[in-house]
Amino acid sequence: MENTFSDLEGLRVAIEIEARGKAFYHQAYEQAVHQEHKDLFLFLMNEEAQHLELFTQIFTAVSERKEAHSTEYLFDPETYRYLTVLAESHIFPQESLAGEKIAELNSVRSILHTAMQAEKDSILLYDELSRNAKFDDARKIFARLKIEEQGHVVKLREMMEAWT
């Protein structure tokens, strides 16, 4: 397997994670019966949409840098394998499995728990990307993404406490 995981690839994965999250919450919103569930899914979908837009802007800016495409900036093979495993799960389920997962989300608590786990998994990925980034700018970007996700965990925790 060719080592193709770089700072730029990490950003591409971040975009994919946010796109999957947005699609997941949109599908959940469409299937929800209770208005409080719909409202929560809409909130979560909008959060993912904001991240998707931000990450896409960052990716575009970084990809315009010639050195971002250099093989010199690829991660070492061990890091590559680990990050690939993290990225392959994509935090949210694949579209073909989303319906099954959404069917399990039959309470506000289960919705919030699933959202919190996705945010925690994202934090883990962005932390690893930050620690292994070759560009200082990329390291700062991944650290910023991690902070964004940590903010979501706090927000979700507060929402969980409000629902109990």
Side-chain angles (χ1 to χ4, degrees):
M1 179 180 273
E2 186 178 326
N3 180 342
T4 60
F5 216 111
S6 65
D7 292 353
L8 197 58
E9 177 68 4
L11 287 168
R12 188 200 59 74
V13 168
I15 289 168
E16 188 171 330
I17 288 169
E18 299 306 316
R20 279 188 179 213
K22 180 182 171 193
F24 178 81
Y25 291 130
H26 177 73
Q27 189 175 349
Y29 172 82
E30 292 294 324
Q31 293 180 25
V33 176
H34 302 291
Q35 188 59 46
E36 65 186 6
H37 295 180
K38 283 188 164 297
D39 292 345
L40 185 51
F41 286 131
L42 185 61
F43 166 78
L44 294 167
M45 182 180 67
N46 288 334
E47 290 287 305
E48 299 298 320
Q50 288 174 6
H51 277 170
L52 179 60
E53 184 178 325
L54 173 65
F55 297 178
T56 301
Q57 291 170 359
I58 293 168
F59 178 85
T60 300
V62 170
S63 68
E64 291 172 354
R65 296 170 59 183
K66 184 177 74 173
E67 64 270 21
H69 300 278
S70 168
T71 57
E72 177 182 340
Y73 292 96
L74 294 176
F75 296 153
D76 65 71
E78 186 175 314
T79 301
Y80 164 73
R81 284 190 300 276
Y82 177 64
L83 291 174
T84 300
V85 168
L86 281 177
E88 282 176 351
S89 70
H90 293 289
I91 314 305
F92 290 98
Q94 295 176 358
E95 197 169 332
S96 61
L97 303 173
E100 182 180 316
K101 184 64 180 171
I102 290 167
E104 297 170 7
L105 304 179
N106 53 14
S107 70
V108 170
R109 187 153 189 80
S110 64
I111 294 166
L112 291 170
H113 177 75
T114 297
M116 184 173 292
Q117 188 59 53
E119 299 296 345
K120 287 178 179 178
D121 291 344
S122 295
I123 289 167
L124 177 63
L125 177 64
Y126 297 143
D127 186 52
E128 287 299 317
L129 287 168
S130 177
R131 283 194 283 167
N132 291 286
K134 303 293 183 181
F135 290 112
D136 283 337
D137 288 352
R139 184 174 292 108
K140 290 175 187 171
I141 290 165
F142 292 128
R144 177 179 171 194
L145 300 181
K146 177 183 167 187
I147 290 168
E148 286 279 327
E149 302 297 6
Q150 287 172 328
H152 283 160
V153 167
V154 170
K155 199 179 296 185
L156 288 166
R157 171 57 69 192
E158 289 169 354
M159 293 170 84
M160 284 179 89
E161 289 172 358
W163 284 99
T164 56

